[in-house]
Amino acid sequence: MNYLYHLYIEFLSKHGISQIFGDITFYAIPLVIIFVALLIVILALVLIERKLLGFFTQRKGPNRVGIWGVLQTVADAFKLLCKENVTPKGVDRVLFNLAPILIFIPIPVALGLIPYSSEFTFMDFGTNLLLYVAIATLPVLCILLGGWASNNKYSLMGAMRNVSQILAYELPIAFTVLSVATLASSLNLTQITLAQSSKYGVLGWYILPCIIGFVIMFISILAELNRCPFDLPEAESELICGYNTEYSGMRFAMFY
Amino acid sequence: MTKLKLNLGPQHPSTHGVLRLILELEGEKILSCEPDVGYLHRGMEKMAEKLSYIQYLPLVDRIDYLAGFFYSELLCRTVEKALDIELSSRVKNIRVLMLELNRIASHLLWIGAFLMDLGAVSPFFYAFRERELILKYFEKVTGQRMMNNYFVYGGVRRDIFDLEDVENIIKILPSKLNDYEKIITDNPIFIQRTKGKGSLNSDVALNFGITGVNLRTSGINLDIRSNDYLYKDIEFKPVVLLGKDAWCRYKARILEIKESINIIKQILGKLKQSTGVEQTFVNPLNIKLPQGEYYSEIEAPRGLASVYIKSTEEKTPYRLKWRTGSYYSVNLLRKLLVGEYLNDAIAIAGSLDIILPEVDK
């Protein structure tokens, strides 16, 4: 890390740029890179999911915008941006507008906690695993907020279902996380990652000793994300997408 | 706990059109259910009093757009009965062929829509893929995919052709049905959501006037096809199951499709032996039923359908009344949904195969 920093400052001073600029940008550049990479990954994953869903259901999937439908998600996001943000009558305006903003906060925080290399983490402190677990439950509060503020019975029911589902599946997640923490005897994500490195490569990962935990974790994550078959809170067929029924435009897109 | 009054519909994706259910909820448990119908009322019965018989014939397909053939057959049959018209055997066979293909298409759509109600999206596409084959054939023969207007008084609009398409359909369907059964029938999620849900006892079913598949799954063998004059020379076994629940209604419809395939196989053999359709010509401009009351019934995909015509020797009927299966199923929701949870309510309402144009007429 220090070596990279000195290299960067040296490079800047060679071109006559002050050190203050270097101090600021040294942390900003990787941030930008990570955000761009994240966006690309999201776009790719969404495209792959839509393509596969298309193939499963006898359809072609997106294939009009860009080659192989690559730009379809961008087009959809652009469309949602252009759409009017309707605020229905009778909603709690402050909470209704706050929920989609708050739901975006955990993402940068979680990104800051991920150890990108042994030294490069934005927030590296002794117990950042706990912060990670805590921050991962924030979306459910936002969903409850949105569902409550929407003044819609379907939204409220969807939000309530979501809360009860998260309550049910949060505990197994915490336990599986703790089992990994016990094996690494640390609550620091960097330490846990380093503890898994061995000369046997993949075989040294904690997925093998914690294989049951891995399965539990995978199922619980599906439930946390409200994906099939745990899509009760969003049940299109009965609750009309639940908590985000009243949302439109970009506010609606923020929930995804 | 306070009660919550929930308005399910009329603009709700899984009410199969425009059904409105006024539910009283405690948590997610339903305390009472009040179906409100009539959002799709088109005055089908009143229209009949203003239109001549030939003008009214194209409209009756729209009573149930998924099973249009059954209603035009019903009207044709009643008028033919009144005018003492005997159909040639080829016409009868063509009609049975179309009715059974229509029944398969209707049941396939139901399977897709029902699983969509339960949250499974892919079976919807699979069912529509097979239904498309049938609709393509309808389009070829009748010129229309859904409101076919193919049966006319005294016969059919034109002779049938390209029977190899039908052969192709009944060759493909059984394997596809096996695929559905592999995906759906023993799926643990599907079983948990449908087994034991919406249990319908035979006495309740009879009291509420339920007919068709819903009645036959509560153990009562009532299939009007058994003594229908069109099906006289055809061997078939009514599907009667004892499960009473939503899962059983699904299974029964799968079996009914298989039974329909059997019927079509027999019909195809008969149709191939004869050529050229002999029709009784009925002057469409001058259809007047003799004074009296006429009634006939048919086994439609959604239960017993019947029509009653009172004629005073005018060009239009004095009174015409339709009886459709779905109307009684909607009324049944009042009883079946009480005590169930909201997500099961959708599954139960879906399993009864309610279609709103048929309810509201």
Side-chain angles (χ1 to χ4, degrees):
Chain A
M1 200 71 165
N2 283 330
Y3 171 70
L4 270 178
Y5 174 75
H6 289 303
L7 213 66
Y8 182 61
I9 297 295
E10 223 169 88
F11 172 77
L12 287 183
S13 60
K14 225 183 256 176
H15 292 79
I17 301 165
S18 70
Q19 196 182 345
I20 303 163
F21 178 78
D23 279 341
I24 298 167
T25 52
F26 182 68
Y27 287 100
I29 286 170
L31 201 70
V32 170
I33 291 172
I34 287 164
F35 260 100
V36 169
L38 187 82
L39 269 179
I40 291 169
V41 167
I42 289 175
L43 286 183
L45 284 179
V46 169
L47 179 71
I48 290 168
E49 189 197 348
R50 292 171 82 170
K51 273 282 180 192
L52 285 178
L53 274 179
F55 294 148
F56 293 158
T57 55
Q58 315 293 317
R59 294 179 289 118
K60 290 209 165 85
N63 63 355
R64 282 285 176 273
V65 192
I67 308 153
W68 216 62
V70 173
L71 295 175
Q72 183 66 52
T73 316
V74 182
D76 286 347
F78 186 69
K79 185 207 83 172
L80 283 170
L81 261 175
C82 296
K83 284 185 92 170
E84 187 190 357
N85 274 328
V86 182
T87 311
K89 216 174 180 182
V91 302
D92 189 326
R93 270 175 183 278
V94 179
L95 297 184
F96 187 78
N97 292 330
L98 200 62
I101 299 169
L102 283 182
I103 204 163
F104 214 69
I105 289 176
I107 299 166
V109 176
L111 280 179
L113 289 168
I114 293 173
Y116 296 98
S117 80
S118 55
E119 287 173 32
F120 184 50
T121 311
F122 291 102
M123 282 179 272
D124 196 6
F125 54 89
T127 56
N128 58 5
L129 179 66
L130 284 182
L131 179 61
Y132 194 93
V133 173
I135 208 82
T137 46
L138 195 63
V140 70
L141 289 176
C142 306
I143 284 171
L144 181 61
L145 212 60
W148 179 267
S150 288
N151 191 27
N152 179 323
K153 288 166 187 169
Y154 292 109
S155 299
L156 181 61
M157 258 190 259
M160 289 302 182
R161 279 188 186 187
N162 199 323
V163 171
S164 57
Q165 181 163 299
I166 300 289
L167 282 179
Y169 287 97
E170 195 60 41
L171 220 56
I173 284 190
F175 272 105
T176 48
V177 164
L178 278 183
S179 68
V180 171
T182 317
L183 279 174
S185 54
S186 169
L187 282 173
N188 183 301
L189 282 167
T190 315
Q191 293 301 321
I192 291 172
T193 317
L194 285 177
Q196 295 186 57
S197 62
S198 70
K199 55 184 172 180
Y200 305 111
V202 183
L203 293 176
W205 292 6
Y206 288 157
I207 185 172
L208 285 178
C210 298
I211 187 73
I212 301 171
F214 170 74
V215 175
I216 294 171
M217 182 81 174
F218 180 72
I219 295 171
S220 303
I221 282 177
L222 285 183
E224 285 253 323
L225 296 174
N226 298 334
R227 302 307 301 258
C228 257
F230 298 100
D231 55 351
L232 282 176
E234 294 181 13
E236 292 96 344
S237 57
E238 55 224 51
L239 294 184
I240 328 168
C241 271
Y243 57 85
N244 55 26
T245 305
E246 293 293 349
Y247 282 94
S248 58
M250 206 52 212
R251 288 195 208 133
F252 170 75
M254 289 295 250
F255 279 106
Y256 285 97
Chain B
M1 201 185 244
T2 48
K3 288 175 193 168
L4 178 73
K5 207 162 197 181
L6 185 70
N7 219 338
L8 198 80
Q11 282 113 349
H12 188 284
S14 52
T15 50
H16 297 249
V18 283
L19 173 63
R20 178 173 169 223
L21 297 173
I22 305 162
L23 302 172
E24 231 176 21
L25 300 175
E26 195 184 272
E28 287 207 13
K29 203 167 195 171
I30 294 168
L31 296 178
S32 74
C33 166
E34 181 71 32
D36 183 15
V37 298
Y39 287 90
L40 210 61
H41 180 61
R42 292 152 296 171
M44 273 290 176
E45 288 169 4
K46 196 67 190 167
M47 265 196 278
E49 294 167 20
K50 294 285 170 215
L51 298 173
S52 73
Y53 288 97
I54 197 72
Q55 284 174 317
Y56 188 50
L57 187 58
L59 299 182
V60 297
D61 287 316
R62 283 145 179 88
I63 288 177
D64 180 354
Y65 49 70
L66 299 178
F69 277 119
F70 288 87
Y71 290 89
S72 52
E73 158 65 17
L74 203 49
L75 188 63
C76 289
R77 167 184 293 197
T78 318
V79 170
E80 281 153 14
K81 208 198 264 177
L83 297 177
D84 262 335
I85 297 169
E86 186 68 31
L87 295 180
S88 69
S89 69
R90 186 168 166 86
V91 168
K92 280 184 193 170
N93 286 336
I94 290 173
R95 283 192 179 181
V96 174
L97 176 73
M98 287 314 209
L99 291 179
E100 291 307 319
L101 280 177
N102 200 174
R103 191 188 307 277
I104 294 174
S106 170
H107 280 346
L108 279 177
L109 186 130
W110 175 83
I111 289 169
F114 179 51
L115 277 134
M116 193 86 137
D117 288 350
L118 296 177
V121 184
S122 346
F124 188 75
F125 291 96
Y126 301 150
F128 264 63
R129 177 186 58 194
E130 270 72 76
R131 179 173 173 263
E132 192 62 25
L133 295 173
I134 298 173
L135 292 195
K136 278 260 167 65
Y137 184 67
F138 283 169
E139 191 180 7
K140 206 181 219 176
V141 173
T142 70
Q144 281 277 32
R145 284 161 60 84
M146 280 161 79
M147 317 323 168
N148 308 82
N149 189 21
Y150 178 60
F151 300 159
V152 290
Y153 307 120
V156 290
R157 205 163 283 284
R158 64 201 281 207
D159 196 6
I160 208 159
F161 54 90
D162 277 357
L163 284 175
E164 52 269 30
D165 285 8
V166 185
E167 271 168 8
N168 187 32
I169 290 168
I170 59 171
K171 207 170 72 190
I172 291 171
L173 263 181
S175 68
K176 298 289 183 193
L177 283 179
N178 282 343
D179 286 353
Y180 298 165
E181 294 225 63
K182 268 182 212 158
I183 303 170
I184 304 163
T185 311
D186 295 326
N187 185 320
I189 298 173
F190 180 69
I191 289 177
Q192 269 189 6
R193 291 211 55 189
T194 52
K195 269 258 162 134
K197 300 282 158 64
S199 200
L200 176 60
N201 285 326
S202 53
D203 53 335
V204 175
L206 286 175
N207 280 341
F208 275 83
I210 305 298
T211 44
V213 181
N214 299 337
L215 181 66
R216 286 197 290 279
T217 49
S218 48
I220 292 176
N221 187 354
L222 182 83
D223 195 327
I224 307 295
R225 281 182 286 176
S226 313
N227 40 22
D228 194 308
Y229 79 107
L230 282 182
Y231 293 83
K232 210 185 259 172
D233 306 325
I234 293 156
E235 280 178 31
F236 86 103
K237 220 171 73 212
V239 177
V240 183
L241 295 177
L242 289 165
K244 301 174 185 182
D245 54 4
W247 185 86
C248 213
R249 275 169 227 145
Y250 153 80
K251 184 77 186 166
R253 286 192 172 91
I254 291 271
L255 292 175
E256 277 224 336
I257 293 177
K258 289 181 177 167
E259 204 55 53
S260 289
I261 292 172
N262 278 341
I263 294 176
I264 289 171
K265 270 182 193 158
Q266 297 174 39
I267 287 293
L268 275 180
K270 288 178 184 172
L271 277 176
K272 273 185 189 158
Q273 285 165 12
S274 62
T275 47
V277 56
E278 290 168 29
Q279 313 221 34
T280 317
F281 178 72
V282 182
N283 182 3
L285 298 176
N286 194 23
I287 301 173
K288 283 181 185 170
L289 302 197
Q291 180 135 16
E293 296 173 16
Y294 305 98
Y295 173 84
S296 51
E297 54 195 14
I298 196 170
E299 181 73 30
R302 274 160 266 283
L304 169 76
S306 62
V307 64
Y308 162 85
I309 299 176
K310 182 170 180 161
S311 173
T312 49
E313 246 186 317
E314 294 282 320
K315 277 190 172 179
T316 60
Y318 175 75
R319 174 82 170 93
L320 190 144
K321 170 93 178 81
W322 291 101
R323 188 251 189 237
T324 51
S326 287
Y327 184 75
Y328 298 85
S329 304
V330 167
N331 196 25
L332 182 69
L333 290 178
R334 221 182 270 268
K335 182 160 178 81
L336 274 195
L337 294 193
V338 174
E340 301 282 352
Y341 289 97
L342 184 64
N343 50 354
D344 292 335
I346 299 290
I348 293 164
S351 76
L352 291 174
D353 197 3
I354 294 162
I355 179 145
L356 268 294
E358 204 195 46
V359 174
D360 298 335
K361 293 185 278 279

